Amino acid sequence: MGVSEINGTLIWYYNICKKEVWFMSHSIVPDQGDENIDLGKFIHEFSYKRDDKEVSFGNVKFDVVFQSKQELVIGETKKSSKYEQASKWQLMYYLKVLNDAGINARGVLLYPQERKRTDVNLNDKAIKKLEVMVNDIERITNLNIPPEIESNRYCIKCGYREYCFA
Ligand code: SF4
């Protein structure tokens, strides 16, 4: 997998568990009944909620929340803030893709069920961190076997646990 094929979903998984990045990139599908990994639901919701406000840009897609001459705000609607760090980096990745194209934007994570919203802003530190993530994702996806990962707090509900702990 080349850097150009890395997308926001992989950034999201990278921030949950690096081993999942390997499974995902090798087309190994998680258990669909799984609430944590939720890939099926994730993709379904992501595509289902698409409307005319959604924008494709390169290999990423996101919702435009607000656009004026001065400002572009892109958003991701999530069911729960349980995975906020992963969601934040996913959105940050979209902001970086825009930034690389000379488009300044800021982001907002929306949690309608929790009546919560979190602002996400790109800065130099985040850009550097994303570059490290992208390079590491590329390294992981090129491994022949999944990386050894200690169990973590997401394992209990992970759709890949049978691969890891059977
Ligand atoms: S079971 Fe745990 S270690 Fe294995 S892929 Fe899932 S989160 Fe990662």
Side-chain angles (χ1 to χ4, degrees):
M1 179 176 281
V3 168
S4 62
E5 292 167 67
I6 289 168
N7 56 34
T9 308
L10 282 180
I11 296 281
W12 192 85
Y13 279 103
Y14 182 84
N15 285 281
I16 298 288
C17 172
K18 295 177 177 62
K19 201 165 183 175
E20 289 178 61
V21 170
W22 190 90
F23 286 132
M24 285 288 307
S25 62
H26 287 76
S27 306
I28 298 169
V29 179
D31 172 3
Q32 296 295 304
D34 170 351
E35 178 213 305
N36 175 25
I37 296 309
D38 233 359
L39 176 68
K41 285 186 211 146
F42 178 77
I43 289 174
H44 178 72
E45 278 167 23
F46 199 60
S47 46
Y48 188 72
K49 71 184 173 65
R50 284 181 184 166
D51 55 27
D52 56 2
K53 282 201 300 181
E54 194 191 72
V55 170
S56 294
F57 191 87
N59 63 348
V60 302
K61 291 186 172 65
F62 44 77
D63 291 330
V64 171
V65 175
F66 178 76
Q67 185 170 18
S68 72
K69 272 188 186 152
Q70 290 78 32
E71 192 171 44
L72 174 66
V73 181
I74 63 168
E76 274 283 295
T77 305
K78 300 287 187 191
K79 261 189 182 166
S80 138
S81 55
K82 198 158 58 169
Y83 307 108
E84 184 154 78
Q85 277 305 304
S87 301
K88 185 192 94 176
W89 284 111
Q90 180 187 8
L91 188 50
M92 203 82 91
Y93 174 75
Y94 298 156
L95 293 175
K96 183 177 177 306
V97 170
L98 289 169
N99 188 264
D100 289 347
I103 301 167
N104 280 325
R106 62 183 179 86
V108 58
L109 289 169
L110 303 160
Y111 306 101
Q113 289 177 15
E114 298 175 10
R115 298 183 180 199
K116 178 181 168 183
R117 52 183 288 160
T118 305
D119 291 326
V120 176
N121 293 301
L122 192 67
N123 55 33
D124 289 348
K125 203 171 154 193
I127 289 173
K128 284 203 175 72
K129 211 166 164 181
L130 279 165
E131 284 166 357
V132 171
M133 282 182 205
V134 167
N135 286 335
D136 202 33
I137 289 172
E138 198 185 5
R139 178 191 67 79
I140 292 166
T141 59
N142 286 327
L143 293 173
N144 291 326
I145 54 168
E148 278 300 323
I149 302 287
E150 298 285 316
S151 61
N152 62 62
R153 68 193 172 107
Y154 298 111
C155 293
I156 194 154
K157 290 181 178 173
C158 177
Y160 291 118
R161 63 189 174 278
E162 283 196 16
Y163 293 96
C164 295
F165 303 113

